[in-house]
């Protein structure tokens, strides 16, 4: 065996001692606090900054965020990589995110009927303390579900205090103006509270407080990370919106935005004054990107990356060896989590609504695992019933059992409401008309969910009506319904496309029906309708016919609607069928229609067909089929063509040319409509099997006031029409 010389052993020991001393003398890694500021859509720049920190192997010891910075900070602390954040933001439909309701096809039939007749934003609560209003244009239902999906809420409850990376999220108490810092509790609730832009997103109720956007009090929370983890170095990212120029401030909206920006910039200035020479401030160049430019998230993230790359010399000194960094990130990311199997499903928090109304939409059962896409769809369907401010969920682990807890919050301004609608219409054939509609709507009159609506119409149509709806089972599949009303309107009568008279149409009706909801497809019903009609000449020759009749009959209807939007859909189908047989009046009436819609990119194709006729006898004048009006032979005035045995077909193409700003509704389109009809027996003219056509071009879309459009139409019959309509039909 070889023996090591004393000299060699001495050298080895000396080298080891020098290495040990060098390691001991190496300064400890500075504690790093990361601050991600608020700025709406501009906050996507944080993702680019995180990409550079990841590339440089810069770990952090705590993180704080405000508003959009809270979203990114929360996802990061929950173990989501910047690359995954990019992917998830790219998949998100931000225009849809700020519309709380699910697709129209996913809503309950009863709520569809209400939305067709009244403006959604007009819903005003009636309580013993007076009227109450919705607390924001957007409730944030889809936004909250998106947050759940980001942080993996289906895998178990995500609380801030249980995250491996200390996290602080900033919100504002709108009642006191105090700063509220979330260091524990529900992660997604804190994220949602921090993003509640006043007036746009509804505040979040938390421990008796109403919380809104944290940017009002601390948009770049530097002091928070200094306190939270005693940070030696702060990396602060400021993406706040600059103040508008004086000439850009002119509307109520821009004045409100400027006020918020002023408050925000004042607290940002105070926060930035806390930075020291050791700290790193990153301010991306986001010129031209507004707080609402969510679709530009990819470009915004790229700008954030470039800003961070410009600071590489300052960030490089915070870099750690790859193995050390990966060990740190592994601690943040944790072990791979999967959705647990559910042992129990429970619904809590209801005071008026029957739990069966919630459970009918929930597909998860004991033994299942929770998939985000499925649970989100179920919860949106619940929300689509119209009874809730929000519907959320959590997965709890209690005594080795996994509990899916569904958390509906009933509307604080319900269950009784005032509802309103308006319509302004003008065309060159008939002039201008207007209509106002108001109703008092009581919901959940009993445990099965009975509703009562009493309404009035004033304007072109004057009417009083009442509707009583009584579900017959807790899941509200079967129901009884009663309608009663009286009304009066006018009908313009034309001969050879020229107006010759005006009729006064008085009517009274009462109807009773039993029906069934066929899932979310629609309804079928069978009942009896009793009517009284008086159809008299108001302006025109007294020789024109008048009629009075009291009659009743058995009425059956089917109404299926799977269109994804109420007025301007881009996909789906709908079909209606109604049959009434009146032995007293000596005729039967059949109405049938079908519609299909599909899209290719931003081009939407609509096709529709309908028939109204008399399988038995002949339709009388007071109950004739009618054509005329927008997308019902647009070149003709409203109800200009009346008769029996009427077939209509229409095809139209629409190009989406833009979307309304966040918090409003729908998209704007330019369209061309080709329409045709055959009128088997046209009244007044006395013609048979007459063929009519119409070609129209229009611009329109769904707005906060309802469907709005303006256009012009022409028919080979020599008639033209220029039309404008705003509001609910």
């Amino acid at each position: 065996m070889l023996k090591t010389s004393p000299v060699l052993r001495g050298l080895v020991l000396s080298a080891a001692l020098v290495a040990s001393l060098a390691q001991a003398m190496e300064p400890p890694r500075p504690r790093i606090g990361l601050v991600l500021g608020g700025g709406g859509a501009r906050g996507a720049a944080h993702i680019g900054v995180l990409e550079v920190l990841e590339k440089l192997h810069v770990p952090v010891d705590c993180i704080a965020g405000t508003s959009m910075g809270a979203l990114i900070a929360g996802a990061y602390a929950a173990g989501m990589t910047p690359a995954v954040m990019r992917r998830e933001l790219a998949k998100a439909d931000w225009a849809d995110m700020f519309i709380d309701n699910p697709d129209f096809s996913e809503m309950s039939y009863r709520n569809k009927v209400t939305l067709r007749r009244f403006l959604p934003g007009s819903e005003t609560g009636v309580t013993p303390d007076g009227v109450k209003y919705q607390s924001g244009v957007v409730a944030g239902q889809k936004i909250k579900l998106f947050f759940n999906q980001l942080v993996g809420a289906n895998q178990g409850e995500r609380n801030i205090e249980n995250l491996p990376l200390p996290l602080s999220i900033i919100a504002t108490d709108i009642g006191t103006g105090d700063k509220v810092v979330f260091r524990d509790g529900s992660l997604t609730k804190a994220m949602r509270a921090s993003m509640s832009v006043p007036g746009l997103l509804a505040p979040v109720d938390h421990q008796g407080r109403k919380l809104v956007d944290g940017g009002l009090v601390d948009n770049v929370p530097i002091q928070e990370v200094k306190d939270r983890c005693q940070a030696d170095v702060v990396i602060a990212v400021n993406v706040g919106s600059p103040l508008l120029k004086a000439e850009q401030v002119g509307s109520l909206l821009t004045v409100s935005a400027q006020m918020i920006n002023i408050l925000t910039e004042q607290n940002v200035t105070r926060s930035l004054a806390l930075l020291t020479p050791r700290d790193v401030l990153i301010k991306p160049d986001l010129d031209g990107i507004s707080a609402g430019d969510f679709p530009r998230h990819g470009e915004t993230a790229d700008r954030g990356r470039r800003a961070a790359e410009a600071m590489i010399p300052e960030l490089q000194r915070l870099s750690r060896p790859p193995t050390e960094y990966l060990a740190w990130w592994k601690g943040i990311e944790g072990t791979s989590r999967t959705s647990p199997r559910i042992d129990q499903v429970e619904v809590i928090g209801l005071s008026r609504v029957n739990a069966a109304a919630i459970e009918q939409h929930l597909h998860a059962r004991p033994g299942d695992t929770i998939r985000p896409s499925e649970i989100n769809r179920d919860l949106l369907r619940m929300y689509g019933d119209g009874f809730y401010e929000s519907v959320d969920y959590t997965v709890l682990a209690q005594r080795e059992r996994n509990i899916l807890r569904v958390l509906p919050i009933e509307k604080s301004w319900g269950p009784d409401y005032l509802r309103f609608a308006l319509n302004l219409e003008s065309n060159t054939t008939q002039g201008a008309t207007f209509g106002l509609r108001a109703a008092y709507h009581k919901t959940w009159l009993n445990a099965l969910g009975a509703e009562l609506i009493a309404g009035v119409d004033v304007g072109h149509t004057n009417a009083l009506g009442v509707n009583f709806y009584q579900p017959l089972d807790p899941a509200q599949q079967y129901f009884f319904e009663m309608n009663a009303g009286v009304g009066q309107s006018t009908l313009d009568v034309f001969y050879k496309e020229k107006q010759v008279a005006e009729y006064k149409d008085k009517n009274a009706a009462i109807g009773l029906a039993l029906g069934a909801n066929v899932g979310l497809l629609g309804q079928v019903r069978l009942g009896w309708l009793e009517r009284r009609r008086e159809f008299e000449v108001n302006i025109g020759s007294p020789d024109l016919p008048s009629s009075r009749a009291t009659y009743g009959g058995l009425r059956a209807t089917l109404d299926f609607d799977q269109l994804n939007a109420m007025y301007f859909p881009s996909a789906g189908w709908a079909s209606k069928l109604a049959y009434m047989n009146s032995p007293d009046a000596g005729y039967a009436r059949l109405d049938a229609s079908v519609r299909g819609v599909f899209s290719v990119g931003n081009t939407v194709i609509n096709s529709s067909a309908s028939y109204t006729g008399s399988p038995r006898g002949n339709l009388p004048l007071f109950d004739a089929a009618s054509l005329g009006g927008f997308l019902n032979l647009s070149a003709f005035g409203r109800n200009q063509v009346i008769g029996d045995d009427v077939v209509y077909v229409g095809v139209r193409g629409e190009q989406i040319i833009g979307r309304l700003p966040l918090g409003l509704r729908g998209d704007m389109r330019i369209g061309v409509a080709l329409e045709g009809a055959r009128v088997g027996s046209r009244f007044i003219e006395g013609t048979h099997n007459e063929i009519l056509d119409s070609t129209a071009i229009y611009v329109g879309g769904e707005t906060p006031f309802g469907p709005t459009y303006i256009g012009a139409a022409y028919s080979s019959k020599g008639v033209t029409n220029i039309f404008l309509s705003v509001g609910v039909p």
Side-chain angles (χ1 to χ4, degrees):
M1 176 179 290
L2 295 175
K3 293 184 178 181
T4 305
S5 70
V7 176
L8 182 57
R9 286 200 301 270
L11 290 174
V12 171
L13 290 173
S14 298
L17 180 60
V18 170
S20 177
L21 290 173
Q23 184 175 1
M25 294 175 62
E26 182 179 343
R29 179 177 74 82
R31 299 186 61 77
I32 302 171
L34 178 61
V35 178
L36 304 181
R42 294 160 64 95
H46 295 314
I47 297 175
V49 173
L50 292 177
E51 289 172 340
V52 174
L53 295 183
E54 181 182 58
K55 181 179 179 181
L56 296 178
H57 299 150
V58 177
V60 298
D61 296 281
C62 63
I63 185 171
T66 299
S67 192
M68 188 66 172
L71 167 63
I72 305 299
Y76 192 62
M80 179 173 285
T81 66
V84 174
M85 290 185 203
R86 266 194 188 258
R87 186 179 70 229
E88 292 301 313
L89 288 183
K91 288 163 49 179
D93 183 348
W94 286 97
D96 180 67
M97 195 88 70
F98 286 85
I99 298 175
D100 293 305
N101 282 325
D103 284 352
F104 198 63
S105 60
E106 297 284 276
M107 301 176 71
S108 72
Y109 183 89
R110 181 69 181 176
N111 199 19
K112 289 178 183 177
V113 171
T114 303
L115 293 175
R116 286 190 188 112
R117 289 185 52 79
F118 303 100
L119 295 174
S122 72
E123 183 181 272
T124 303
V126 180
T127 71
D129 299 325
V131 298
K132 296 181 68 175
Y133 303 95
Q134 302 175 54
S135 53
V137 176
V138 180
Q141 175 64 33
K142 290 180 183 174
I143 294 172
K144 181 60 166 64
L145 294 181
F146 176 65
F147 291 171
N148 289 350
Q149 189 165 336
L150 272 184
V151 304
N154 63 299
Q155 300 167 357
E157 191 173 26
R158 304 307 302 267
N159 285 333
I160 295 174
E161 67 271 20
N162 296 329
L163 298 174
L165 179 62
L167 169 69
S168 301
I169 289 178
I170 313 300
T172 303
D173 184 336
I174 195 62
T176 64
D178 292 340
K179 178 168 68 174
V180 176
V181 183
F182 284 92
R183 300 186 184 95
D184 54 24
S186 169
L187 171 59
T188 54
K189 183 177 184 179
M191 292 160 66
R192 169 66 181 83
S194 188
M195 288 190 67
S196 299
V197 179
L200 174 61
L201 281 169
V204 171
D205 290 324
H206 178 69
Q207 299 178 352
R209 293 177 158 187
K210 290 188 178 296
L211 305 183
V212 298
D213 196 324
L216 298 178
V217 290
D218 199 354
N219 201 47
V220 185
I222 292 169
Q223 187 62 55
E224 175 60 25
V225 295
K226 287 179 175 287
D227 295 338
R228 184 71 192 272
C229 64
Q230 303 300 308
D232 301 306
V233 177
V234 174
I235 302 172
V237 187
N238 180 16
V239 295
S241 300
L243 296 179
L244 299 173
K245 297 179 181 179
E247 58 271 19
Q248 295 176 302
V249 180
S251 66
L252 179 60
L253 183 63
T254 55
V255 169
S256 300
Q258 187 77 332
M259 290 173 60
I260 293 175
N261 286 345
I262 289 172
L263 291 173
T264 300
E265 286 304 303
Q266 287 177 344
N267 70 65
V268 167
T269 300
R270 291 193 295 269
S271 290
L272 296 182
L274 300 173
L275 294 175
T276 69
R278 295 191 65 189
D279 300 325
V280 180
L281 174 63
I282 301 174
K283 186 171 176 56
D285 177 8
L286 300 175
D287 185 43
I289 297 178
S290 72
D293 279 334
F294 288 97
R296 299 174 65 182
H297 56 83
E299 176 191 351
T300 308
D302 290 341
R303 294 200 193 184
R305 187 184 67 245
R306 288 195 292 271
E309 288 172 341
M311 304 298 291
I312 284 179
E314 288 80 1
L315 295 172
Q316 191 73 56
R317 59 186 171 85
L318 305 174
S319 177
R320 305 305 298 171
T323 53
E324 181 180 335
Y325 176 82
L326 290 175
W328 168 82
W329 176 249
K330 192 64 177 178
I332 303 301
E333 188 178 33
T335 58
S336 177
R337 287 158 40 104
T338 59
S339 183
R341 290 192 177 276
I342 299 301
D343 299 301
Q344 180 181 343
V345 179
E346 61 182 25
V347 179
I348 67 169
L350 296 174
S351 61
R352 299 184 296 265
V353 178
N354 193 314
I358 282 280
E359 292 165 354
Q360 66 171 324
H361 297 300
L362 190 62
H363 291 87
R365 296 290 183 268
D368 294 343
T369 57
I370 304 302
R371 293 180 174 86
S373 59
E374 293 178 359
I375 190 69
N376 286 356
R377 184 175 183 180
D378 289 350
L379 266 60
L380 282 175
R381 285 175 167 178
M382 297 173 195
Y383 187 85
D385 286 343
F387 305 131
Y388 315 103
E389 286 187 44
S390 65
V391 186
D392 204 357
Y393 78 96
T394 187
V395 177
L396 304 173
Q398 294 183 353
R399 299 175 183 175
E400 298 183 352
R401 290 172 57 82
N402 297 309
I403 301 172
L404 171 62
R405 180 172 290 173
V406 181
L407 307 166
I409 298 177
E410 297 168 343
K411 289 179 177 176
S412 59
W413 59 93
D416 301 335
Y417 312 97
L418 292 175
R419 301 186 183 278
F420 304 94
L422 62 85
N423 178 261
L424 304 174
E425 187 171 333
S426 178
N427 64 70
T428 52
T429 303
Q430 296 163 302
T433 62
F434 80 96
L436 298 175
R437 181 177 299 143
Y440 181 53
H441 185 190
K442 294 181 69 67
T443 67
W444 288 96
L445 296 170
N446 54 42
L448 294 179
E451 297 184 24
L452 178 70
I453 300 179
V456 58
D457 283 61
V458 178
H460 178 262
T461 297
N462 298 302
L464 294 171
V466 62
N467 168 267
F468 176 72
Y469 178 82
Q470 175 63 67
L472 301 178
D473 62 300
Q476 300 188 342
Q477 181 177 1
Y478 302 101
F479 62 89
F480 164 79
E481 188 169 19
M482 185 275 289
N483 289 281
V486 296
Q488 175 181 300
S489 61
T490 59
L491 175 68
D492 297 328
V493 176
F494 292 78
Y495 180 72
K496 295 189 182 299
E497 318 315 337
K498 295 185 182 295
Q499 185 175 352
V500 296
E502 179 186 85
Y503 273 73
K504 183 180 294 184
D505 180 9
K506 298 180 180 179
N507 66 85
I510 183 169
L512 306 173
L514 290 172
N517 292 299
V518 185
L520 294 175
L521 284 176
Q523 280 187 353
V524 294
R525 62 179 68 203
L526 178 66
W528 184 271
L529 178 63
E530 192 75 21
R531 304 185 73 179
R532 176 173 176 78
R533 302 293 298 272
E534 296 183 13
F535 205 63
E536 300 176 340
V537 177
N538 188 40
I539 300 174
S541 171
D543 296 331
L544 290 170
S546 296
S547 61
R548 295 185 181 183
T550 300
Y551 60 99
L554 195 66
R555 190 168 190 264
T557 63
L558 176 151
D559 187 354
F560 288 174
D561 190 338
Q562 288 295 287
L563 297 170
N564 67 343
M566 184 163 40
Y567 297 116
F568 288 85
S570 58
W573 60 274
S575 63
K576 294 182 180 181
L577 185 68
Y579 177 79
M580 180 176 176
N581 183 34
S582 177
D584 298 338
Y587 75 97
R589 175 176 171 135
L590 174 66
D591 294 90
S593 66
V594 63
R595 181 181 178 189
V597 184
F598 70 92
S599 299
V600 180
N602 284 330
T603 301
V604 183
I605 306 298
N606 289 259
S607 60
S608 59
S610 64
Y611 170 80
T612 300
S614 45
R616 184 177 66 84
N618 299 298
L619 294 183
L621 180 64
F622 58 76
D623 199 18
S626 65
L627 294 170
F630 181 53
L631 300 182
N632 191 34
L633 280 188
S634 307
F636 296 81
R638 185 182 58 254
N639 301 324
Q640 181 174 338
V641 179
I642 55 177
D644 193 358
D645 192 25
V646 175
V647 177
Y648 167 88
V649 293
V651 177
R652 68 182 194 267
E654 297 173 339
Q655 186 71 22
I656 298 174
I657 57 176
R659 294 187 180 273
L660 293 173
L662 293 179
L664 302 182
R665 296 175 62 84
D667 48 44
M668 303 303 293
R669 305 179 181 183
I670 182 170
V672 176
L674 304 177
E675 304 170 272
R678 181 188 65 81
V679 184
S681 176
R682 186 173 179 183
F683 298 164
I684 309 300
E685 282 87 349
T687 58
H688 296 278
N689 294 320
E690 185 176 7
I691 303 299
L692 302 173
D693 64 85
S694 171
T695 301
I697 183 170
Y698 57 92
V699 177
E702 190 172 351
T703 73
F705 304 103
T708 299
Y709 50 82
I710 183 171
Y714 169 79
S715 170
S716 62
K717 285 288 185 179
V719 296
T720 59
N721 200 10
I722 299 174
F723 47 85
L724 166 69
S725 180
V726 178
V728 177

